[in-house]
């Protein structure tokens, strides 16, 4: 018999289509699925009971785009000439790091970034890994770290021809092998990832699309994150980035375009028409000074927009808050976007990006039980069903996450990991980061 879990006495923000909030109720979970969501007192007890009195119960937050290995760069002092544009950020920071990555780093960063996201309320991430000198087997190592902490992950090897075609081909093979190997896994699955339009030729793009469609998995690509992508495409083909991707049949319902900062109205119309989606990464866009993605225009055209961290700040609440403020600042219109839209981006819309809207993204009967319980005792004003979504975006933070359930299993309890130890995670991560930094310094010399 599968295990039962009862979460009782909490305010439940279901995130369903009607935006239902239950002032005081319970969520019943049988095995990995939610079997009942209701108001009032539960009549029976379960194998595991979480008393959520004074707490807010929300759907697990979804990180629609990340790079787990970014966590190993926290605090690294890279001895480089300061970049003055996005192309230089890639050339001086990310690409040397990619080249220095090892299988151990892939594992350690999955463990550490996975734990960081989980403890901050994210229960699913979509990662793309890029390590030209650690291709074969890297996805298994990332899956190992992901499963050890108990978070859900969609994993991919990022194909690029920036060095040579062989590198892209090996990345492609690694991705396909991994996708086939984890078809029935509960926590991890695979997808196809292309680095960016300006680093992949037509042939590899076409092969990637065909394979993604055949395997029925998502395909993701960084899209006009910086002007370098747009200018390269205009110069090489006369097409804007999304126009080129459309010509190559990349756009479809399981296509996730990361960033889309430099896209015009015609490109947005193409994304909308093909029912592709966008992973918005506002904090990363600010960090790299690339510009502001036209998210309000995307939403008005009915484009699905999820929220990512792009390998920088893994707390989804910080990313939500930034998504709320960046568009208000850019438009100088304090009503351009509101907490309801932002909360949806971090939950159900993130699930829709990857074709998982019927399985994840809300607390509803028959869906998979990915649930976050927030301690509401530090909130300085009344928490009511009317104000709660505003509070989730304006007031709460990762520090308020008390318990986390993924696939019906309690993976964070009283702020601590249950599937592995927090100490093991930090020790593994620190060792890996120390060695990575040392390799990077040797490279600089
Ligand atoms: Zn990215």
């Amino acid at each position: 018999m599968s295990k039962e879990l009862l979460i009782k006495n909490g305010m439940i923000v279901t995130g369903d289509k009607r935006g239902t909030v239950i002032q005081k109720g319970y969520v019943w979970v049988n095995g990995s699925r939610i079997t009942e969501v209701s108001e009032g007192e539960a009549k029976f007890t379960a194998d595991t009971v979480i008393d959520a009195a004074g707490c807010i119960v929300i759907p697990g937050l979804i990180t629609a785009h990340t790079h787990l290995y970014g966590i190993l760069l926290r605090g690294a002092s890279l001895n480089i000439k300061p970049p003055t544009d996005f192309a230089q950020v890639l050339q001086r920071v990310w690409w040397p790091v990619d080249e220095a990555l090892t299988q151990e780093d892939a594992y350690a960063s999955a463990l550490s970034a996975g734990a960081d996201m989980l403890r901050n309320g994210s229960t699913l991430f979509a990662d793309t890994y890029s390590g030209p000198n650690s291709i074969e087997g890297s996805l298994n190592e990332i899956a190992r770290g992901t499963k050890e902490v108990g978070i859900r992950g969609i994993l991919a090897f990022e194909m690029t021809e920036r060095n040579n075609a062989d590198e892209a081909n090996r990345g492609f093979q690694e991705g396909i092998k991994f996708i086939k190997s984890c078809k029935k896994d509960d926590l991890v699955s695979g997808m196809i990832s292309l680095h960016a339009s300006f680093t992949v030729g037509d042939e590899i793009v076409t092969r990637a699309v065909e394979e993604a469609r055949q395997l029925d998995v998502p395909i993701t690509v960084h899209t006009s994150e910086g002007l370098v992508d747009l200018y390269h495409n205009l110069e090489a083909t006369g097409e804007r980035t999304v126009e080129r991707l459309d010509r190559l049949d990349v756009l479809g319902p399981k296509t996730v375009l990361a960033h889309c900062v430099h896209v015009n109205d015609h490109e947005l119309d193409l994304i909308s028409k093909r029912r592709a989606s966008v992973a918005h990464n506002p904090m990363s866009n600010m960090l790299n000074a690339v510009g502001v993605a036209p998210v309000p225009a995307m939403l008005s055209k009915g484009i699905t927009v999820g929220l990512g961290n792009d390998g920088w700040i893994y707390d989804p609440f910080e990313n939500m808050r930034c998504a709320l403020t960046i568009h208000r600042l850019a438009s100088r219109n304090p009503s351009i976007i509101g907490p309801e839209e932002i909360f949806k981006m971090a939950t159900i819309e993130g699930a829709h990006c990857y074709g998982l809207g019927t399985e994840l993204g809300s607390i509803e009967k028959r869906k998979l039980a990915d649930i976050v319980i927030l301690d509401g005792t530090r909130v300085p004003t009344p928490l009511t069903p009317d104000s709660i979504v505003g509070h989730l975006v304006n007031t709460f933070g990762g520090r308020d996450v008390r318990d986390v359930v993924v696939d019906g299993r309690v993976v964070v309890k009283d702020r601590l990991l249950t599937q592995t130890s927090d100490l093991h995670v930090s020790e593994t991560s620190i060792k890996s980061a120390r060695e990575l930094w040392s390799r990077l310094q040797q490279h600089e010399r």
Side-chain angles (χ1 to χ4, degrees), residues 65-67 128 158 222 225 258-259 281 310-311:
H65 178 81
T66 191
H67 304 281
T128 84
E158 190 176 274
H222 291 93
E225 175 178 2
H259 301 290
N281 303 273
D310 204 25

Side-chain angles (χ1 to χ4, degrees), residues 397-409:
R399 66 183 182 278
D400 299 308
V401 173
R402 194 189 75 178
D403 309 309
V404 180
V405 175
V406 174
D407 210 44
R409 192 181 303 128

Side-chain angles (χ1 to χ4, degrees), residues 15-220:
D16 68 5
K17 263 197 186 130
R18 286 170 297 147
T20 308
V21 177
I22 299 170
Q23 181 132 26
K24 189 179 174 187
Y26 62 91
V27 182
W28 196 278
V29 177
N30 197 321
S32 60
R33 302 237 168 222
I34 296 165
T35 49
E36 199 180 341
V37 185
S38 186
E39 223 177 350
E41 301 276 339
K43 291 183 192 72
F44 307 100
T45 190
D47 305 307
T48 306
V49 177
I50 298 177
D51 189 347
C55 295
I56 314 301
V57 181
I58 64 168
L61 301 171
I62 292 172
T63 300
H65 178 81
T66 191
H67 304 281
L68 299 166
Y69 68 86
I71 203 160
L72 299 178
L73 287 190
R74 295 267 176 92
S77 52
L78 304 172
N79 185 22
I80 56 167
K81 209 171 154 206
T84 56
D85 64 22
F86 180 61
Q88 290 178 3
V89 169
L90 291 176
Q91 286 158 358
R92 294 179 190 174
V93 181
W94 287 105
W95 291 351
V97 170
D98 289 357
E99 274 159 37
L101 289 172
T102 63
Q103 304 280 344
E104 289 76 25
D105 298 329
Y107 164 70
S109 60
L111 201 60
S112 162
D116 203 13
M117 281 188 266
L118 210 49
R119 286 185 294 227
N120 284 294
S122 184
T123 52
L124 165 67
F125 64 78
D127 174 64
T128 84
Y129 177 78
S130 174
N133 295 314
S134 55
I135 299 176
E136 286 80 13
S138 56
L139 295 180
N140 276 340
E141 287 303 300
I142 296 169
R144 185 159 72 92
T146 302
K147 290 199 266 193
E148 248 178 76
V149 288
I151 192 169
R152 219 183 270 284
I154 305 171
L155 317 183
F157 194 95
E158 190 176 274
M159 279 178 257
T160 173
E161 291 181 307
R162 70 172 186 258
N163 293 323
N164 54 62
D166 177 58
E167 180 182 316
N169 192 42
R170 283 169 53 210
F172 188 54
Q173 298 306 331
E174 169 69 8
I176 303 296
K177 199 172 134 201
F178 179 75
I179 290 164
K180 289 181 175 166
S181 76
C182 63
K183 271 279 180 197
K184 288 198 174 117
D185 199 289
D186 291 336
L187 288 184
V188 299
S189 60
M191 65 174 170
I192 301 273
S193 163
L194 295 160
H195 168 245
S197 184
F198 73 103
T199 64
V200 283
D202 285 7
E203 199 191 316
I204 192 88
V205 174
T206 306
R207 275 177 65 203
V209 171
E210 279 170 8
E211 203 66 48
R213 300 268 150 81
Q214 203 172 354
L215 292 164
D216 193 27
V217 292
I219 181 164
T220 190

Side-chain angles (χ1 to χ4, degrees), residues 339-412:
E340 287 77 15
E341 287 148 309
I342 301 296
F343 183 63
K344 276 186 191 160
M345 282 163 58
T347 52
I348 190 69
E349 298 299 304
H352 281 309
C353 285
Y354 291 93
L356 296 169
T358 57
E359 292 282 66
L360 294 167
S362 59
I363 301 179
E364 291 181 88
K365 209 171 159 176
R366 285 184 283 279
K367 279 200 170 181
L368 290 165
D370 288 10
I371 297 166
V372 171
I373 295 153
L374 299 163
D375 179 357
T377 55
R378 286 195 249 192
V379 178
T381 53
L383 287 170
T384 66
D386 290 340
S387 68
I388 187 62
V389 174
H391 271 303
L392 288 172
V393 178
N394 288 293
T395 314
F396 282 91
R399 66 183 182 278
D400 299 308
V401 173
R402 194 189 75 178
D403 309 309
V404 180
V405 175
V406 174
D407 210 44
R409 192 181 303 128
V410 181
V411 291
V412 174

